Amino acid sequence: RVALLATAPPATGERIATTALMPAEEAGARLAALRPRAWAPDRAAALEALAAFRRANPGPFATLYVADGVEHAAEGDAFTPFATALGEAGPMTLARAEAHPARVLPPPRAEADRLIVNVLQTPVGAPTEATVLARTGDGRAIASATVAIPAEATRAEAAIDLPIEIRNQVVRLDLEPEAGAAGTVLLDERFRRRPVGLSSALDTAADAPLTGDLFYLERALAPYAEIRRGTPEQLLSRQIAVLVLADRDVPEGREREALTRWVEQGGMLIRFAGPRLAERPDPLLPVALRAGERQLGGALSWDRPQALAPFPEGSPFVGLTPPAEVTVERQVLAEPSARLTDRSWARLADGTPLVTSEARGQGRIVLFHVTANAEWSNLPLSGLFVDMLRRLVALSSGVQGSDGEAPLAPLEILDGFGRLGAPSPAAAPLPANRVEETAASPRHPPGWYGSAGRAEDAAWGRALNLSAHLPPPR
């Protein structure tokens, strides 16, 4: 006679329990029907079920323990006491797959025109490879990356190069050949939606054709981003990915404190220079500025307008070619420092910075050392201006479309094999503001959550991924 004990909680949400003793033939049929779950095992609960079974069946028994060989850190050190209890009941045989490493595909990191994918695995003695496929909503694989993992390594990464228009079609990543929920990542609006806020010192004249501070910015960004206008405080009252300040100084007080918190929490602040910023620089800049502005060309200057130098390695603008006709007549200069070169993403032909950047907390501050209109340079008149802004927006962290505690119902859930299907009766709605912090479980299985009336709009849904909360396997 045989009893079966599964260590993952059932999809019904009930507690783990050991089956009653049954004939071997019946146990074989049940064993064949077992399927992997899309959440971590609970060996502590399995230990309680084992104790209850032993109280009902006090005699010794032999155990075949089929294990994945992975210590699931999310449940603590539960493997050892569970295995010890099994060994105390009688002879135990441990069956464990060692030929293939256990792997996890965490959510990717979005960069300009590409996604950076990481693969985590248990260390093995020989180099291995994994493939990550990028799929559209209809299941087509439109791009892939081969991740080379050195011997004994537990982590490796690779890039999936995708233009922004194509990347916005990707709704899931799959780790091949390993099938499973931990090797599947659903990509929701965090990887696509980029609301951009625009603010200038003089909002009344900001739209003035050819001269307004926001005239060229809005036309460059409108085809690719959701544009919002207002003061920084108004814009920060809603979720926003990028905030652009066109020659707007940030005086000390509530506004500066709010902007600082927002950047440190992951926002991207893009600033453009001008007369106001040249006179009143503030701490929300990537580099220290010299007082005043530098004039290149004109009756009062010996210098000629400067062209742009090729973009340096490490800049998000690498691959773009500065047109020869783009020149700069005025700029704000940075104070010389040891880190100025590292923080310069674009320079003029004479080596002075055109665009500088610095990471602050989880966010970033970027400064164009020229105005956002054509007063100081003809950069805003060029296609290069559009491409540079698009790449910066693509570098930002996206935001979700739903706010607050609105309940999001499970629309489609992943099974243990990484296949989408209908939610189980035990699957419960999830508050919109708790999706990112929720670990997968029978009550909240990984998959798509959203409004039942918009179940066909996968791009609108919110993704709950198993791998987002899994530590590296060991």
Side-chain angles (χ1 to χ4, degrees):
R1 297 185 301 167
V2 179
L4 297 179
L5 172 57
T7 58
T12 58
E14 300 173 352
R15 293 182 61 83
I16 294 175
T18 307
T19 66
L21 288 165
M22 67 189 81
E25 293 78 7
E26 182 180 348
R30 291 202 184 192
L31 188 62
L34 284 178
R35 294 292 182 269
R37 300 299 184 189
W39 43 83
D42 187 346
R43 294 186 180 120
L47 180 59
E48 294 180 9
L50 176 63
F53 177 81
R54 292 193 65 185
R55 287 193 295 270
N57 300 272
F61 55 83
T63 300
L64 173 62
Y65 186 10
V66 183
D68 57 10
V70 176
E71 179 65 63
H72 293 266
E75 58 169 359
D77 185 20
F79 173 82
T80 301
F82 181 56
T84 300
L86 288 173
E88 291 173 349
M92 182 179 70
T93 301
L94 178 63
R96 169 172 137 173
E98 294 183 341
H100 303 287
R103 288 175 175 161
V104 172
L105 179 66
R109 185 174 76 252
E111 293 189 354
D113 290 350
R114 63 180 186 169
L115 293 173
I116 304 298
V117 293
N118 273 280
V119 175
L120 313 179
Q121 77 166 29
T122 50
V124 293
T128 57
E129 284 188 351
T131 301
V132 180
L133 300 179
R135 300 186 185 275
T136 59
D138 58 6
R140 290 181 297 118
I142 60 173
S144 66
T146 299
V147 185
I149 308 172
E152 301 300 336
T154 59
R155 178 191 299 265
E157 70 176 32
I160 300 180
D161 295 311
L162 289 170
I164 189 69
E165 297 87 349
I166 298 177
R167 191 176 83 190
N168 284 347
Q169 300 176 29
V170 177
V171 299
R172 74 182 273 166
L173 300 176
D174 285 314
L175 187 60
E176 297 288 343
E178 292 79 9
T184 297
V185 176
L186 303 177
L187 304 183
D188 56 21
E189 287 298 275
R190 281 170 292 178
F191 298 90
R192 287 182 290 275
R193 188 164 174 262
R194 302 288 192 271
V196 177
L198 303 181
S199 185
S200 69
L202 300 174
D203 286 337
T204 54
D207 284 330
L210 306 180
T211 61
D213 287 338
L214 304 182
F215 178 80
Y216 295 101
L217 285 170
E218 187 155 0
R219 280 150 185 78
L221 291 168
Y224 312 106
E226 176 187 333
I227 302 298
R228 299 174 186 170
R229 297 275 297 273
T231 65
E233 282 193 282
Q234 291 171 337
L235 294 169
L236 294 181
S237 66
R238 300 172 60 190
Q239 286 192 338
I240 196 167
V242 179
L243 180 56
V244 183
L245 301 183
D247 192 24
R248 183 183 183 117
D249 56 326
V250 184
E252 189 173 359
R254 273 192 346 182
E255 183 176 289
R256 183 186 294 179
E257 293 171 0
L259 278 170
T260 301
R261 283 194 304 270
W262 174 76
V263 170
E264 291 177 347
Q265 292 169 3
M268 175 173 280
L269 177 63
I270 301 177
R271 305 190 66 177
F272 282 83
R276 297 174 189 83
L277 189 62
E279 291 179 9
R280 295 183 295 275
D282 55 68
L284 285 175
L285 294 169
V287 293
L289 299 181
R290 290 184 177 181
E293 62 197 61
R294 176 197 185 195
Q295 184 169 342
L296 302 167
L300 301 179
S301 173
W302 290 98
D303 296 318
R304 295 182 178 180
Q306 289 285 315
L308 275 60
F311 296 115
E313 289 296 325
S315 166
F317 309 134
V318 168
L320 301 178
T321 302
E325 63 271 16
V326 173
T327 58
V328 172
E329 296 180 359
R330 290 188 193 177
Q331 66 180 142
V332 289
L333 286 173
E335 288 284 0
S337 71
R339 305 194 64 181
L340 182 58
T341 299
D342 294 336
R343 295 182 181 178
S344 297
W345 279 358
R347 303 187 187 97
L348 301 184
D350 63 0
T352 54
L354 173 66
V355 180
T356 52
S357 171
E358 181 193 22
R360 294 277 183 94
Q362 300 178 47
R364 183 168 290 277
I365 299 175
V366 180
L367 171 65
F368 282 74
H369 290 238
V370 294
T371 57
N373 56 24
E375 186 178 349
W376 285 16
S377 78
N378 60 1
L379 175 64
L381 303 176
S382 68
L384 177 65
F385 187 66
V386 177
D387 292 335
M388 293 172 74
L389 289 173
R390 285 178 61 194
R391 291 203 176 187
L392 290 178
V393 172
L395 276 177
S396 67
S397 300
V399 302
Q400 294 286 7
S402 299
D403 299 320
E405 299 182 358
L408 304 179
L411 305 178
E412 290 184 293
I413 64 170
L414 289 168
D415 64 13
F417 293 110
R419 300 175 301 202
L420 284 168
S424 66
L430 187 60
N433 59 359
R434 294 183 56 193
V435 173
E436 292 188 44
E437 65 188 52
T438 300
S441 67
R443 182 172 174 78
H444 300 304
W448 289 108
Y449 288 73
S451 169
R454 304 179 69 172
E456 300 301 320
D457 188 1
W460 179 86
R462 301 283 291 274
L464 176 62
N465 288 301
L466 170 63
S467 62
H469 294 275
L470 290 182
R474 56 185 178 88

